Amino acid sequence: DTAVSQTPKYLVTQMGNDKSIKCEQNLGHDTMYWYKQDSKKFLKIMFSYNNKELIINETVPNRFSPKSPDKAHLNLHINSLELGDSAVYFCASSLRGGRGNTEAFFGQGTRLTVV
Amino acid sequence: GENVEQHPSTLSVQEGDSAVIKCTYSDSASNYFPWYKQELGKGPQLIIDIRSNVGEKKDQRIAVTLNKTAKHFSLHITETQPEDSAVYFCAAKGVQFYFGTGTSLTVIP
């Protein structure tokens, strides 16, 4: 019973391609996130959605486009992939967004390698 | 926005010793401070958290302290075991989660 599941776990692709990473949570949470973890392990917020609506969009190139068809899903589509996009991408969810003080649950990550 | 600093970046301890990781934050409006453990190839998992109305919380070998005035919070692991080896992240949450830069803890058997 995986709480936050993302697919694929590994993704190797060539520069210039377009790819998507899917995320689903079965916790009934209202808020979902995408984080990027670079080679130094820094976890940086990319997007946050609350009830299918975008509430946070950090300084992310517009080649990255999140899509939330319903509050249980938050997919990440990346156009024109670049070498610098190589990283581990984590999806997460929490019961409440905003100033709600509830924990975030993370997926297992998607290791994206652009060659 | 919030700025969370975490120290040290790497920490090696002998099995059975204690480990302490410290974080500072900048936004006085942050009100929730979770700690996550990330094992190799996995996503971060919550190990303990503390809310702004509490100064200390303990769960078996793990404890967290919060000093809101100084904007400091710390993780203490006692009687460390090899399976405690991982990367640990602190975080501060106001509107969103801001993570520290991580501490790679190695427990030497």
XYZ file of all heavy atoms in Angstrom, chain A residues 12-94:
671
model
N 16.241 7.384 -18.368
C 17.433 7.815 -19.112
C 16.957 8.260 -20.480
O 16.252 7.519 -21.172
C 18.468 6.678 -19.242
C 19.697 7.181 -19.994
C 18.858 6.148 -17.869
N 17.349 9.460 -20.871
C 16.854 9.997 -22.125
C 17.880 10.944 -22.733
O 18.809 11.391 -22.065
C 15.518 10.721 -21.891
O 14.944 11.089 -23.147
C 15.716 11.972 -21.045
N 17.671 11.243 -23.992
C 18.614 12.116 -24.683
C 18.205 13.563 -24.558
O 17.014 13.890 -24.370
C 18.692 11.725 -26.158
C 19.392 10.392 -26.383
C 19.630 10.116 -27.857
O 18.828 10.487 -28.703
N 20.740 9.466 -28.165
N 19.194 14.420 -24.677
C 18.925 15.866 -24.697
C 17.908 16.195 -25.772
O 17.922 15.595 -26.856
C 20.203 16.630 -25.015
C 21.151 16.797 -23.869
S 22.686 17.592 -24.392
C 22.080 19.105 -25.134
N 17.032 17.117 -25.445
C 16.059 17.583 -26.420
C 14.743 16.831 -26.378
O 13.734 17.312 -26.931
N 14.741 15.658 -25.713
C 13.497 14.891 -25.633
C 12.525 15.523 -24.635
O 12.897 16.342 -23.799
C 13.800 13.452 -25.213
C 14.355 12.625 -26.358
O 14.385 13.075 -27.505
N 14.803 11.428 -26.051
N 11.269 15.073 -24.737
C 10.223 15.455 -23.780
C 9.855 14.212 -22.972
O 9.664 13.134 -23.549
C 8.968 15.950 -24.498
C 9.243 17.115 -25.427
O 10.264 17.805 -25.230
O 8.429 17.346 -26.343
N 9.754 14.362 -21.659
C 9.409 13.218 -20.814
C 8.449 13.639 -19.713
O 8.368 14.815 -19.345
C 10.667 12.615 -20.173
C 11.587 11.918 -21.151
C 10.941 10.651 -21.698
C 11.849 9.980 -22.714
N 11.179 8.848 -23.380
N 7.750 12.639 -19.171
C 6.829 12.885 -18.058
C 7.116 11.942 -16.905
O 7.532 10.803 -17.113
C 5.379 12.666 -18.502
O 4.976 13.645 -19.420
N 6.890 12.444 -15.707
C 6.964 11.636 -14.485
C 5.592 11.724 -13.824
O 5.024 12.813 -13.692
C 8.032 12.165 -13.510
C 9.388 12.302 -14.218
C 8.148 11.222 -12.310
C 10.442 13.001 -13.362
N 5.079 10.557 -13.433
C 3.742 10.541 -12.845
C 3.824 10.363 -11.335
O 4.724 9.704 -10.822
C 2.922 9.397 -13.454
C 2.648 9.578 -14.931
C 1.724 8.498 -15.459
C 1.389 8.762 -16.920
N 0.461 7.743 -17.464
N 2.869 10.936 -10.645
C 2.808 10.805 -9.192
C 1.364 10.661 -8.748
O 0.483 11.399 -9.214
C 3.436 12.009 -8.504
S 3.383 11.907 -6.695
N 1.160 9.743 -7.827
C -0.176 9.516 -7.267
C -0.051 9.328 -5.760
O 0.876 8.674 -5.288
C -0.794 8.265 -7.897
C -2.137 7.877 -7.305
C -2.705 6.602 -7.911
O -2.012 5.957 -8.732
O -3.850 6.252 -7.575
N -0.984 9.887 -5.011
C -1.023 9.635 -3.573
C -2.409 9.119 -3.188
O -3.423 9.594 -3.694
C -0.634 10.897 -2.767
C -1.431 12.149 -3.084
C -2.597 12.406 -2.185
O -2.862 11.664 -1.228
N -3.332 13.475 -2.480
N -2.396 8.123 -2.287
C -3.659 7.512 -1.855
C -3.967 7.846 -0.398
O -4.642 7.089 0.300
C -3.617 6.001 -2.080
C -2.531 5.301 -1.270
O -1.834 5.937 -0.474
N -2.379 4.010 -1.477
N -3.441 8.999 0.048
C -3.595 9.394 1.448
C -4.756 10.362 1.669
O -5.029 10.753 2.800
C -2.297 10.047 1.929
C -1.078 9.118 1.897
C 0.208 9.920 2.039
C -1.186 8.078 2.999
N -5.370 10.784 0.586
C -6.448 11.766 0.710
C -5.956 13.161 1.029
O -6.703 13.994 1.529
N -4.685 13.415 0.750
C -4.103 14.732 1.053
C -4.568 15.787 0.061
O -4.888 15.491 -1.078
C -2.574 14.650 1.023
C -2.009 13.923 2.187
N -0.676 13.568 2.270
C -2.573 13.494 3.349
C -0.451 12.961 3.424
N -1.596 12.893 4.086
N -4.554 17.036 0.542
C -4.972 18.151 -0.308
C -3.828 18.753 -1.110
O -4.050 19.392 -2.130
C -5.568 19.271 0.555
C -6.956 18.920 1.064
O -7.602 18.023 0.482
O -7.402 19.551 2.038
N -2.607 18.603 -0.615
C -1.478 19.317 -1.197
C -0.426 18.348 -1.711
O -0.087 17.382 -1.032
C -0.851 20.269 -0.149
O -1.875 21.133 0.344
C 0.247 21.115 -0.770
N 0.078 18.628 -2.902
C 1.141 17.823 -3.493
C 2.265 18.723 -3.956
O 2.069 19.898 -4.270
C 0.603 16.984 -4.655
C -0.415 15.951 -4.203
S -0.961 14.843 -5.509
C 0.498 13.792 -5.741
N 3.475 18.151 -3.996
C 4.690 18.920 -4.295
C 5.577 18.148 -5.271
O 5.553 16.919 -5.312
C 5.528 19.137 -3.019
C 4.796 19.623 -1.798
C 4.151 18.731 -0.944
C 4.784 20.975 -1.459
C 3.508 19.177 0.189
C 4.140 21.422 -0.320
C 3.505 20.507 0.506
O 2.863 20.946 1.642
N 6.398 18.902 -5.962
C 7.541 18.328 -6.675
C 8.803 18.985 -6.146
O 8.884 20.213 -6.055
C 7.446 18.542 -8.186
C 6.618 17.517 -8.880
C 5.377 17.683 -9.403
C 6.969 16.154 -9.111
N 4.931 16.512 -9.937
C 5.884 15.548 -9.779
C 8.098 15.366 -8.820
C 5.885 14.211 -10.166
C 8.097 14.042 -9.205
C 7.000 13.479 -9.872
N 9.796 18.124 -5.831
C 11.104 18.583 -5.388
C 12.158 18.037 -6.332
O 12.026 16.946 -6.872
C 11.415 18.059 -3.978
C 10.685 18.778 -2.873
C 9.417 18.383 -2.478
C 11.284 19.856 -2.208
C 8.747 19.046 -1.467
C 10.620 20.516 -1.189
C 9.357 20.103 -0.829
O 8.701 20.761 0.174
N 13.227 18.803 -6.456
C 14.387 18.355 -7.220
C 15.545 18.185 -6.247
O 15.821 19.085 -5.441
C 14.754 19.393 -8.284
C 15.971 19.016 -9.131
C 16.259 20.092 -10.164
C 17.478 19.716 -11.027
N 17.783 20.759 -12.042
N 16.204 17.013 -6.307
C 17.375 16.774 -5.456
C 18.592 16.615 -6.355
O 18.664 15.693 -7.156
C 17.186 15.526 -4.592
C 18.317 15.338 -3.589
C 18.062 14.223 -2.595
O 17.660 13.114 -2.968
N 18.281 14.494 -1.322
N 19.536 17.527 -6.207
C 20.715 17.490 -7.072
C 21.783 16.545 -6.508
O 21.549 15.872 -5.497
C 21.265 18.899 -7.283
C 21.743 19.545 -5.984
O 22.028 18.826 -5.013
O 21.823 20.785 -5.952
N 22.926 16.533 -7.158
C 23.972 15.575 -6.784
C 24.522 15.842 -5.392
O 25.089 14.953 -4.764
C 25.108 15.614 -7.809
O 25.622 16.930 -7.899
N 24.344 17.065 -4.884
C 24.798 17.387 -3.524
C 23.703 17.124 -2.501
O 23.840 17.470 -1.330
C 25.244 18.851 -3.446
C 26.484 19.141 -4.262
C 26.917 20.579 -4.076
C 28.183 20.856 -4.886
N 28.613 22.256 -4.800
N 22.649 16.519 -2.922
C 21.545 16.132 -2.038
C 20.630 17.301 -1.635
O 19.767 17.111 -0.790
C 22.033 15.419 -0.767
C 22.797 14.140 -1.055
C 21.861 13.084 -1.557
C 22.564 11.732 -1.656
N 21.684 10.718 -2.235
N 20.827 18.488 -2.208
C 19.943 19.601 -1.852
C 18.532 19.312 -2.346
O 18.336 18.935 -3.495
C 20.433 20.909 -2.476
C 21.776 21.365 -1.990
C 22.540 22.235 -2.748
C 22.286 20.932 -0.778
C 23.788 22.664 -2.312
C 23.532 21.347 -0.330
C 24.285 22.220 -1.105
N 17.554 19.518 -1.484
C 16.146 19.319 -1.847
C 15.529 20.680 -2.107
O 15.373 21.488 -1.194
C 15.399 18.669 -0.686
C 15.336 17.155 -0.634
C 14.807 16.703 0.712
C 14.466 16.603 -1.756
N 15.144 20.913 -3.344
C 14.602 22.223 -3.685
C 13.173 22.097 -4.189
O 12.890 21.301 -5.076
C 15.480 22.880 -4.750
C 15.084 24.303 -5.022
C 16.101 25.042 -5.853
C 15.560 26.461 -6.020
N 16.039 27.153 -7.141
N 12.284 22.902 -3.603
C 10.879 22.888 -4.023
C 10.776 23.415 -5.448
O 11.452 24.384 -5.822
C 9.992 23.738 -3.080
C 8.520 23.682 -3.481
C 10.470 25.180 -3.013
C 7.817 22.441 -3.095
N 9.973 22.746 -6.258
C 9.720 23.231 -7.610
C 8.290 23.775 -7.703
O 8.061 24.903 -8.125
C 9.897 22.095 -8.611
C 11.279 21.493 -8.649
S 11.363 20.056 -9.716
C 11.162 20.818 -11.321
N 7.336 22.929 -7.325
C 5.929 23.294 -7.434
C 5.172 22.776 -6.224
O 5.539 21.775 -5.626
C 5.278 22.658 -8.675
C 5.897 23.043 -9.979
C 6.754 22.168 -10.623
C 5.628 24.274 -10.553
C 7.339 22.515 -11.831
C 6.208 24.627 -11.760
C 7.065 23.747 -12.398
N 4.069 23.464 -5.933
C 3.145 22.973 -4.935
C 1.727 23.184 -5.456
O 1.404 24.258 -5.969
C 3.358 23.720 -3.618
O 2.369 23.358 -2.692
N 0.900 22.168 -5.322
C -0.490 22.241 -5.744
C -1.382 21.965 -4.536
O -1.129 21.046 -3.763
C -0.787 21.180 -6.808
C -0.650 21.670 -8.209
C 0.612 21.925 -8.744
C -1.751 21.881 -9.017
C 0.756 22.380 -10.038
C -1.623 22.329 -10.317
C -0.369 22.578 -10.823
O -0.229 23.027 -12.100
N -2.445 22.749 -4.414
C -3.425 22.518 -3.366
C -4.780 22.319 -4.020
O -5.287 23.213 -4.701
C -3.462 23.699 -2.392
C -4.266 23.383 -1.161
O -4.034 22.382 -0.498
N -5.234 24.227 -0.858
N -5.353 21.133 -3.828
C -6.637 20.833 -4.464
C -6.641 21.166 -5.954
O -7.528 21.848 -6.452
C -7.779 21.587 -3.780
C -8.321 20.821 -2.601
O -8.454 19.609 -2.628
N -8.620 21.541 -1.548
N -5.657 20.677 -6.647
C -5.495 20.801 -8.097
C -5.090 22.202 -8.555
O -4.966 22.441 -9.746
C -6.766 20.412 -8.856
C -7.275 19.015 -8.618
C -8.353 18.634 -9.630
C -9.536 19.552 -9.558
N -10.515 19.306 -10.644
N -4.884 23.112 -7.642
C -4.507 24.462 -8.065
C -3.071 24.789 -7.675
O -2.649 24.515 -6.546
C -5.458 25.488 -7.450
C -6.857 25.342 -7.997
C -7.696 26.579 -7.787
O -7.142 27.637 -7.447
O -8.924 26.476 -7.963
N -2.358 25.399 -8.596
C -0.970 25.757 -8.350
C -0.899 26.850 -7.305
O -1.554 27.892 -7.435
C -0.337 26.247 -9.650
C 1.124 26.688 -9.574
C 2.025 25.507 -9.263
C 1.542 27.364 -10.874
N -0.131 26.620 -6.221
C 0.036 27.665 -5.221
C 1.481 28.121 -5.103
O 1.751 29.210 -4.638
C -0.495 27.241 -3.829
C 0.138 25.932 -3.349
C -1.994 27.106 -3.850
C -0.230 25.594 -1.907
N 2.417 27.288 -5.492
C 3.815 27.699 -5.457
C 4.474 27.283 -6.757
O 4.339 26.150 -7.199
C 4.569 27.048 -4.278
C 4.069 27.610 -2.963
C 6.078 27.261 -4.411
C 4.577 26.878 -1.758
N 5.178 28.199 -7.361
C 5.985 27.886 -8.534
C 7.305 28.614 -8.336
O 7.382 29.817 -8.560
C 5.275 28.362 -9.799
C 6.101 28.085 -11.052
O 7.235 27.637 -10.966
N 5.532 28.357 -12.199
N 8.269 27.882 -7.812
C 9.572 28.494 -7.591
C 10.221 28.777 -8.941
O 9.648 28.491 -9.973
C 10.439 27.562 -6.741
C 9.954 27.451 -5.313
C 10.179 28.711 -4.506
O 11.304 29.224 -4.516
O 9.233 29.175 -3.857
N 11.398 29.317 -8.921
C 12.057 29.720 -10.166
C 12.447 28.477 -10.948
O 13.553 27.977 -10.807
C 13.302 30.557 -9.850
O 13.065 31.326 -8.701
C 13.643 31.446 -10.999
N 11.506 28.002 -11.709
C 11.719 26.792 -12.494
C 11.531 27.167 -13.962
O 10.579 27.884 -14.292
C 10.692 25.704 -12.081
C 10.852 24.465 -12.923
C 10.844 25.364 -10.606
N 12.405 26.688 -14.857
C 12.219 27.003 -16.284
C 10.844 26.574 -16.762
O 10.296 25.568 -16.287
C 13.332 26.180 -16.956
C 14.348 25.944 -15.899
C 13.597 25.878 -14.592
N 10.279 27.319 -17.703
C 8.935 26.963 -18.153
C 8.914 25.721 -19.028
O 7.851 25.324 -19.525
C 8.258 28.154 -18.844
C 9.057 28.657 -20.019
O 9.971 27.982 -20.486
N 8.730 29.835 -20.499
N 10.074 25.073 -19.192
C 10.097 23.750 -19.825
C 9.464 22.696 -18.895
O 9.112 21.606 -19.340
C 11.537 23.323 -20.130
C 12.271 24.223 -21.113
C 13.670 23.715 -21.394
N 14.535 23.768 -20.233
C 14.885 22.703 -19.503
N 14.425 21.494 -19.829
N 15.697 22.831 -18.477
N 9.361 23.053 -17.622
C 8.754 22.156 -16.637
C 7.299 22.567 -16.456
O 7.023 23.717 -16.093
C 9.466 22.256 -15.291
C 10.852 21.685 -15.292
C 11.921 22.395 -15.827
C 11.108 20.427 -14.772
C 13.202 21.867 -15.837
C 12.383 19.890 -14.764
C 13.436 20.612 -15.298
N 6.401 21.644 -16.696
C 4.992 21.981 -16.539
C 4.300 20.898 -15.713
O 4.210 19.748 -16.137
C 4.303 22.169 -17.890
O 4.510 21.037 -18.704
N 3.817 21.261 -14.519
C 3.075 20.307 -13.711
C 1.627 20.248 -14.181
O 1.088 21.228 -14.690
C 3.170 20.908 -12.310
C 3.309 22.372 -12.540
C 3.965 22.571 -13.883
N 1.021 19.093 -13.986
C -0.395 18.949 -14.337
C -1.059 18.118 -13.249
O -0.590 17.043 -12.906
C -0.542 18.256 -15.686
C -0.080 19.074 -16.880
C -1.051 19.036 -18.004
C -0.772 20.010 -19.137
N 0.496 20.655 -19.176
N -2.173 18.636 -12.752
C -2.889 17.947 -11.686
C -4.317 17.672 -12.142
O -5.191 18.532 -11.996
C -2.883 18.811 -10.417
O -3.512 18.133 -9.351
N -4.589 16.478 -12.676
C -5.939 16.171 -13.141
C -6.951 16.052 -12.000
O -8.141 16.290 -12.199
C -5.764 14.828 -13.857
C -4.513 14.245 -13.310
C -3.638 15.387 -12.917
N -6.471 15.660 -10.834
C -7.303 15.620 -9.630
C -6.362 15.713 -8.441
O -5.138 15.643 -8.607
C -8.154 14.341 -9.562
C -7.332 13.077 -9.689
O -6.453 12.854 -8.821
O -7.542 12.326 -10.651
N -6.904 15.839 -7.240
C -6.011 16.156 -6.121
C -5.141 14.983 -5.703
O -4.236 15.132 -4.902
C -6.796 16.725 -4.942
C -7.594 15.737 -4.140
C -8.158 16.433 -2.898
C -8.680 15.415 -1.917
N -9.166 16.054 -0.669
N -5.387 13.791 -6.267
C -4.558 12.633 -5.945
C -3.380 12.461 -6.901
O -2.533 11.600 -6.689
C -5.412 11.366 -5.951
N -3.346 13.264 -7.937
C -2.301 13.118 -8.954
C -1.638 14.448 -9.262
O -2.310 15.477 -9.382
C -2.907 12.563 -10.269
C -3.460 11.190 -10.152
N -4.730 10.935 -9.678
C -2.894 9.981 -10.425
C -4.933 9.625 -9.691
N -3.846 9.019 -10.128
N -0.314 14.384 -9.375
C 0.440 15.560 -9.818
C 1.575 15.060 -10.689
O 2.532 14.461 -10.202
C 0.988 16.367 -8.634
C 1.766 17.629 -9.018
C 0.863 18.608 -9.764
C 2.372 18.301 -7.783
N 1.414 15.270 -11.994
C 2.415 14.797 -12.945
C 3.338 15.939 -13.341
O 2.959 17.112 -13.271
C 1.706 14.213 -14.178
C 0.747 13.098 -13.802
O 1.026 12.307 -12.898
N -0.404 13.039 -14.469
N 4.536 15.570 -13.741
C 5.533 16.570 -14.143
C 5.974 16.276 -15.564
O 6.476 15.185 -15.852
C 6.730 16.522 -13.192
C 7.824 17.563 -13.410
C 7.285 18.970 -13.142
C 9.024 17.275 -12.509
N 5.749 17.241 -16.434
C 6.165 17.095 -17.821
C 7.341 18.023 -18.074
O 7.304 19.190 -17.655
C 5.003 17.446 -18.767
C 5.306 17.112 -20.187
N 5.283 15.825 -20.671
C 5.679 17.900 -21.220
C 5.613 15.835 -21.958
N 5.857 17.070 -22.308
N 8.362 17.498 -18.739
C 9.555 18.299 -19.010
C 9.822 18.294 -20.510
O 9.965 17.231 -21.133
C 10.800 17.740 -18.283
C 10.470 17.361 -16.828
C 11.930 18.760 -18.318
C 11.545 16.574 -16.126
N 9.851 19.487 -21.080
C 10.133 19.633 -22.520
C 11.606 19.921 -22.746
O 12.303 20.485 -21.881
C 9.325 20.807 -23.094
C 7.859 20.500 -23.188
O 7.461 19.356 -23.404
N 7.033 21.515 -23.012
N 12.078 19.530 -23.911
C 13.435 19.900 -24.364
C 14.479 19.676 -23.270
O 15.167 20.600 -22.837
C 13.457 21.371 -24.798
O 12.503 21.604 -25.799
N 14.590 18.458 -22.826
C 15.465 18.133 -21.706
C 16.900 18.568 -21.951
O 17.434 18.459 -23.069
C 15.405 16.632 -21.421
C 14.191 16.241 -20.569
C 13.787 14.814 -20.799
C 14.489 16.508 -19.100
N 17.523 19.048 -20.874
C 18.912 19.502 -20.904
C 19.735 18.677 -19.923
O 19.201 18.073 -18.996
C 18.977 20.988 -20.533
C 18.189 21.885 -21.456
C 18.207 23.339 -21.008
O 18.797 23.642 -19.936
O 17.637 24.180 -21.734
N 21.063 18.693 -20.136
C 21.954 17.936 -19.259
C 21.753 18.325 -17.792
O 21.771 17.476 -16.902
C 23.410 18.158 -19.655
C 23.852 17.597 -21.012
C 25.296 17.974 -21.302
C 23.672 16.082 -21.053
N 21.546 19.609 -17.547
C 21.394 20.112 -16.181
C 20.111 19.676 -15.497
O 19.944 19.885 -14.305
N 19.224 19.041 -16.245
C 17.994 18.539 -15.642
C 18.220 17.206 -14.943
O 17.340 16.721 -14.225
C 16.899 18.361 -16.712
C 16.523 19.668 -17.378
O 16.645 20.728 -16.721
O 16.111 19.633 -18.554
N 19.380 16.615 -15.149
C 19.688 15.338 -14.494
C 19.677 15.525 -12.990
O 20.380 16.381 -12.447
C 21.057 14.815 -14.949
O 21.058 14.530 -16.333
N 18.875 14.727 -12.315
C 18.699 14.845 -10.864
C 17.726 13.756 -10.439
O 17.223 12.993 -11.263
C 18.129 16.216 -10.490
N 17.455 13.723 -9.141
C 16.378 12.871 -8.640
C 15.201 13.776 -8.327
O 15.346 14.785 -7.627
C 16.799 12.082 -7.378
C 15.645 11.196 -6.908
C 18.042 11.244 -7.664
N 14.046 13.437 -8.846
C 12.837 14.232 -8.647
C 11.917 13.476 -7.686
O 11.618 12.303 -7.882
C 12.137 14.479 -9.984
C 12.946 15.394 -10.880
C 13.970 14.888 -11.679
C 12.713 16.767 -10.893
C 14.738 15.732 -12.477
C 13.466 17.612 -11.684
C 14.482 17.088 -12.473
O 15.247 17.921 -13.239
N 11.500 14.205 -6.652
C 10.628 13.614 -5.646
C 9.265 14.282 -5.670
O 9.161 15.506 -5.663
C 11.212 13.771 -4.237
C 12.354 12.853 -3.948
C 13.659 13.310 -4.011
C 12.129 11.524 -3.603
C 14.724 12.471 -3.749
C 13.189 10.677 -3.336
C 14.486 11.151 -3.410
N 8.252 13.449 -5.645
C 6.897 13.912 -5.424
C 6.596 13.746 -3.936
O 7.120 12.828 -3.286
C 5.950 13.053 -6.256
S 4.206 13.410 -6.031
N 5.794 14.615 -3.389
C 5.414 14.523 -1.980
C 3.993 15.029 -1.811
O 3.460 15.722 -2.693
C 6.375 15.328 -1.099
N 3.391 14.681 -0.695
C 2.064 15.212 -0.399
C 1.952 15.493 1.091
O 2.683 14.920 1.909
C 0.961 14.232 -0.825
O 0.920 13.104 0.039
N 1.057 16.405 1.437
C 0.771 16.668 2.841
C -0.725 16.917 2.988
O -1.395 17.303 2.028
C 1.583 17.847 3.394
O 1.226 19.047 2.746
